[in-house]
Amino acid sequence: LAGSTQDCLYQAVKIAAQVGVEKAKHLVREGPAVEAICTSAHSEGVDLVIIPQHGAGFVERLFTTSISQTLANKCDFAVLTVP
């Protein structure tokens, strides 16, 4: 990952800890996104996955399914999307 991306991930975990989230951490995995996220979430025993929302336009949403939508429909943990 680029340095600034890694910094953002570390900052997110730090902020989560400051507001009382005790077990927040970031993971970086390779492979098909939904499969990698589901597999990692299950192996880590997570309750919630937070994922960015990329703001697809109306037409794009008609013809594609976002990773966050697929996660919410396929996996058995909560998915929170953030702008």
Side-chain angles (χ1 to χ4, degrees):
L1 288 177
S4 62
T5 303
Q6 193 74 287
D7 292 342
C8 287
L9 294 170
Y10 284 122
Q11 283 296 326
V13 171
K14 184 177 177 181
I15 291 167
Q18 291 172 347
V19 297
V21 178
E22 297 175 5
K23 296 183 180 180
K25 66 179 176 179
H26 74 278
L27 299 172
V28 178
R29 300 288 189 258
E30 292 184 16
V34 172
E35 182 180 327
I37 293 168
C38 284
T39 300
S40 295
H42 285 287
S43 68
E44 295 290 326
V46 303
D47 298 319
L48 173 67
V49 170
I50 302 172
I51 189 166
Q53 181 179 17
H54 290 289
F58 175 75
V59 173
E60 185 178 353
R61 284 193 312 265
L62 285 175
F63 297 105
T64 63
T65 303
S66 71
I67 292 170
S68 57
Q69 287 175 311
T70 304
L71 284 172
N73 292 326
K74 181 178 179 180
C75 300
D76 60 353
F77 49 79
V79 177
L80 173 65
T81 57
V82 293

